[in-house]
Amino acid sequence: MNLPTSKAQNTTIISYTVSFPEAQAHYADIEMHISDLNQDILDLKMPVWTPGSYLVREFAKNIESLSAAARTKPLAPRKINKNTWRITTKGISALTIKYRVYANENSVRTSYIDASHAFLSTSGIFIYPANMMHQPSTINIKPYKGWAQVSTSLEMVNGDPFTRRAPNYDILFDSPIEVGNQDVFGFNASGVKYEVCMYGGGNYDKERIKKDLHQIVEKEAAIYGENPNSHYVFIIHNHLKSGGGLEHLSSTVLGVSRDAYGTEKGYKNFLALAAHEHFHLWNVKRLRPVVLGPFDYDNENYTTNLWIAEGFTEYYQEIIVRRTNLYPVENYLDALVTEFNILENLPGKDVQTVAESSFDAWIKAYRPNENSANSTISYYNKGAIIGMMLDLEIINSSGGKYSLDDVMKYMYTEYYKTKKRGYTDGEFKKGFEKFAGKKLDDFYKKYINGLTPVDYNQYLGYAGYKITDELADNNDPALGLITATNGNKKVIVTSVLRGTAAYIDGINVNDELVAIDNNPITDAGTMLDGKKPGDKIQVSVTRDGLPLTIPVTLLKNARVKYQIVPVDNATPQQLQVRKKWLSL
């Protein structure tokens, strides 16, 4: 086989034309033109995943009717595996490939097309020639009838908004494209032009958003000492109910409920989401684990460091909003203690380490099931808590001279800018130790690679805070179930938590709860009224269509509900740490 040579890769010209003749049916039609080709065999590939979302999504499943031709001569593409098509190109210097993509998965990670707009998550739209990842390409958009806008971080060609250029495929696959009639407005911050593109309407206030996003951008850029973009795009999809985001090199896609902007809680959550995804333009898009770039688009890319890449970003999303002074300290502490409560009420905290959670993202994080709460944790959640712990440790041990900010800036400068590569787990550990002024072997043993319960009071104590448990004195009984009421108003068990009464005595997921001590269950929230821990009850269920009665001994509700409160008589050192930590 004559594989592409370096010379061939440098001279091959690639362009795409994207049109939407059946947008109403969720289709995009793609024409790929390749010229100045000089090889006997051409393999065309479709990525199986999109960076930032650690799940093999098999984008090739959405491709239909792939064909190829050299001028008027039809060629015969042959599929050789799930995401690769092979074409014999001996003696052929130019060819056209045509295919269709079905796009009807409405999320920030996947493409979606209808008559109102097209969102192109590019790793699931564009096939690429194997061994030509460094090749540039041109993308020409032919909009559906009435569409007038294109929003993407890809630069225009000759000032034409419908023609964009990608310097290489890593950048193309990291540059989503929004096409339609989105509401576009912008601002300048940290020397960069920012574009905000709103699809789906909503009760947002443009001027407020511009002002507040400006503050967030400036606070985040201040940590790293620079903003590496010239142009950044927020693509925001507003739906009836929506959430989540996905980071990209010079843009992000956010999902927001269109009416969320009208409440302080909803608006604050929007700012935190925007702060999270924008923070990624440094942390993970540039300062990254060594395996996350150059990407292998055919296979999983494993790392034990998503607790840094995602968890620290979750920690910073709240602390950055705090630094803008848009909300009081109490709001920040409430957001932080919510992270504590999520982790501490998961039985999985005693099973899966945060390093394991990172590594197993590909098979567990995006594929939760009814037992996930018992066997897993989130590297977002525990990573955010570890971010807080290390931030306070560094501030305290350095007498307020350093913080986690200094670690992030040092690692960004040292590995992204100077060494021009990703970091290893050991290298980031040394970065923490450099500013903490101490070895962190025990910390890693306990909290990164181990299952030691978090000592919240130790770390909060550095800043003169402690936790209290609102439920500490309760004596309420609990079965330990999570339930849902279906369309027929039946109460169905959706999860059984490890170590609870239901778990021990054998109530199962998918059981229909019918009665307790022959009293019909109409409301799961009141089914234990009048009961106490130690009571022996008879739970009537329907399992697989058959009636079953299960004797259960009720246990005390083991849930915690922490609050963060100041300690009495905080010392000057504690107040110094608090001031540095909370930007007081």
Side-chain angles (χ1 to χ4, degrees):
M1 182 185 301
N2 181 10
L3 293 176
T5 65
S6 175
K7 180 179 178 181
Q9 291 188 44
N10 288 335
T11 60
T12 301
I13 299 172
I14 304 170
S15 66
Y16 299 88
T17 299
V18 184
S19 59
F20 309 94
E22 292 186 319
Q24 84 289 348
H26 314 294
Y27 278 99
D29 284 20
I30 317 293
E31 285 192 16
M32 179 184 187
H33 303 278
I34 304 176
S35 59
D36 291 345
L37 188 67
N38 182 24
Q39 57 192 72
D40 294 348
I41 297 292
L42 176 66
D43 283 350
L44 299 172
K45 304 181 76 68
M46 173 67 85
V48 305
W49 68 289
T50 186
S53 182
Y54 305 101
L55 176 69
V56 171
R57 296 182 184 274
E58 308 292 18
F59 294 122
K61 67 186 178 184
N62 296 318
I63 289 185
E64 299 177 15
S65 307
L66 189 142
S67 64
R71 296 185 179 178
T72 59
K73 178 185 177 182
L75 302 175
R78 179 170 61 92
K79 199 168 188 180
I80 61 171
N81 60 35
K82 64 181 182 179
N83 68 319
T84 309
W85 294 260
R86 177 164 291 172
I87 304 172
T88 300
T89 54
K90 186 175 182 178
I92 295 173
S93 63
L95 70 160
T96 299
I97 299 97
K98 297 181 180 181
Y99 60 97
R100 312 191 80 201
V101 179
Y102 181 71
N104 190 27
E105 187 175 353
N106 202 347
S107 81
V108 297
R109 308 170 188 90
T110 50
S111 297
Y112 181 81
I113 301 167
D114 65 13
S116 68
H117 79 130
F119 171 62
L120 306 180
S121 182
T122 44
S123 56
I125 293 291
F126 297 106
I127 58 176
Y128 67 97
N131 303 313
M132 294 192 195
M133 287 298 299
H134 296 295
Q135 284 298 112
S137 60
T138 302
I139 299 93
N140 179 249
I141 306 291
K142 294 189 176 298
Y144 188 62
K145 57 187 178 183
W147 293 355
Q149 299 267 23
V150 174
S151 297
T152 179
S153 58
L154 295 173
E155 297 302 325
M156 299 180 195
V157 176
N158 297 324
D160 180 3
F162 291 95
T163 304
R164 304 288 178 139
R165 184 179 186 276
N168 57 55
Y169 279 98
D170 280 321
I171 290 178
L172 177 58
F173 295 149
D174 218 0
S175 305
I177 302 170
E178 177 75 19
V179 190
N181 292 308
Q182 58 272 22
D183 185 13
V184 179
F185 52 96
F187 60 93
N188 293 316
S190 66
V192 175
K193 177 183 177 182
Y194 278 80
E195 186 179 338
V196 181
C197 312
M198 291 283 194
Y199 165 79
N203 59 351
Y204 53 87
D205 179 333
K206 294 183 191 180
E207 294 306 313
R208 186 183 186 190
I209 286 175
K210 288 193 291 185
K211 174 177 169 290
D212 294 344
L213 287 183
H214 179 277
Q215 291 192 69
I216 286 170
V217 169
E218 294 282 359
K219 294 295 183 184
E220 292 185 345
I223 294 172
Y224 295 94
E226 68 172 20
N227 190 323
N229 290 301
S230 59
H231 175 212
Y232 189 94
V233 183
F234 287 98
I235 298 174
I236 302 174
H237 292 157
N238 298 306
H239 297 288
L240 178 62
K241 291 184 179 180
S242 190
L246 188 64
E247 72 274 6
H248 296 281
L249 190 69
S250 301
S251 62
T252 186
V253 186
L254 310 180
V256 181
S257 297
R258 64 172 61 95
D259 293 331
Y261 307 94
T263 67
E264 284 304 301
K265 179 180 178 181
Y267 184 69
K268 189 262 179 187
N269 288 341
F270 160 70
L271 291 181
L273 176 62
H276 180 110
E277 302 303 340
H278 184 264
F279 193 82
H280 272 311
L281 77 86
W282 294 277
N283 188 30
V284 91
K285 299 317 298 184
R286 291 168 176 85
L287 171 61
R288 57 176 174 77
V290 70
V291 301
L292 295 184
F295 294 113
D296 177 353
Y297 292 99
D298 286 341
N299 301 288
E300 296 89 343
N301 293 216
Y302 293 102
T303 175
T304 57
N305 293 131
L306 294 181
W307 60 273
I308 298 173
E310 290 290 355
F312 280 20
T313 304
E314 182 151 326
Y315 171 64
Y316 270 103
Q317 73 180 43
E318 299 294 345
I319 206 80
I320 288 295
V321 175
R322 163 64 213 133
R323 290 177 189 178
T324 65
N325 286 311
L326 290 170
Y327 296 96
V329 166
E330 289 72 24
N331 286 53
Y332 170 67
L333 296 178
D334 286 346
L336 183 60
V337 81
T338 296
E339 299 281 11
F340 299 174
N341 291 330
I342 290 170
L343 179 67
E344 294 307 317
N345 288 309
L346 279 177
K349 73 182 184 301
D350 300 318
V351 176
Q352 187 183 53
T353 71
V354 74
E356 291 170 340
S357 176
S358 299
F359 193 85
D360 281 343
W362 296 93
I363 57 173
K364 294 185 178 182
Y366 289 89
R367 290 185 174 125
N369 61 27
E370 70 282 354
N371 197 49
S372 292
N374 291 327
S375 60
T376 68
I377 59 168
S378 165
Y379 48 80
Y380 285 85
N381 168 239
K382 191 167 184 181
I385 293 170
I386 290 169
M388 175 213 73
M389 295 161 70
L390 286 168
D391 199 6
L392 287 167
E393 180 68 53
I394 293 166
I395 295 170
N396 184 68
S397 63
S398 70
K401 183 178 180 181
Y402 301 121
S403 71
L404 187 59
D405 290 7
D406 296 284
V407 179
M408 302 305 287
K409 182 178 181 179
Y410 167 77
M411 294 297 292
Y412 173 80
T413 303
E414 182 74 7
Y415 289 93
Y416 170 67
K417 297 192 71 177
T418 303
K419 295 183 177 177
K420 302 185 186 307
R421 65 168 175 84
Y423 58 81
T424 67
D425 182 70
E427 287 166 342
F428 220 115
K429 178 173 175 286
K430 288 180 180 178
F432 295 135
E433 292 172 339
K434 176 181 176 68
F435 292 93
K438 63 175 71 175
K439 289 289 187 181
L440 294 172
D441 295 4
D442 189 55
F443 185 95
Y444 264 67
K445 181 180 179 181
K446 291 195 298 186
Y447 297 125
I448 309 303
N449 301 309
L451 298 169
T452 302
V454 175
D455 188 345
Y456 296 102
N457 283 331
Q458 175 187 343
Y459 294 93
L460 289 173
Y462 293 149
Y465 289 105
K466 64 180 180 179
I467 57 169
T468 60
D469 182 5
E470 289 183 37
L471 303 181
D473 296 327
N474 93 84
N475 196 39
D476 297 330
L479 280 170
L481 300 173
I482 298 174
T483 63
T485 302
N486 67 16
N488 296 320
K489 297 186 178 181
K490 295 179 178 180
V491 178
I492 307 298
V493 177
T494 59
S495 185
V496 181
L497 299 180
R498 189 189 305 274
T500 62
Y503 185 96
I504 293 168
D505 291 324
I507 297 177
N508 288 183
V509 168
N510 294 324
D511 285 350
E512 177 197 343
L513 299 180
V514 177
I516 289 180
D517 293 339
N518 295 318
N519 295 312
I521 294 172
T522 57
D523 181 354
T526 60
M527 64 185 177
L528 296 182
D529 283 359
K531 307 294 183 182
K532 62 183 184 299
D535 285 353
K536 299 181 185 299
I537 61 174
Q538 300 294 315
V539 181
S540 300
V541 306
T542 299
R543 181 179 295 172
D544 192 29
L546 300 175
L548 179 67
T549 298
I550 303 170
V552 176
T553 300
L554 291 174
L555 300 177
K556 179 179 178 294
N557 190 340
R559 290 184 64 80
V560 299
K561 187 177 181 182
Y562 290 140
Q563 284 185 312
I564 298 174
V565 298
V567 300
D568 295 330
N569 303 313
T571 67
Q573 182 177 350
Q574 288 175 317
L575 294 175
Q576 179 190 38
V577 172
R578 184 187 299 180
K579 181 178 180 180
K580 173 80 169 179
W581 179 42
L582 298 177
S583 303
L584 298 174

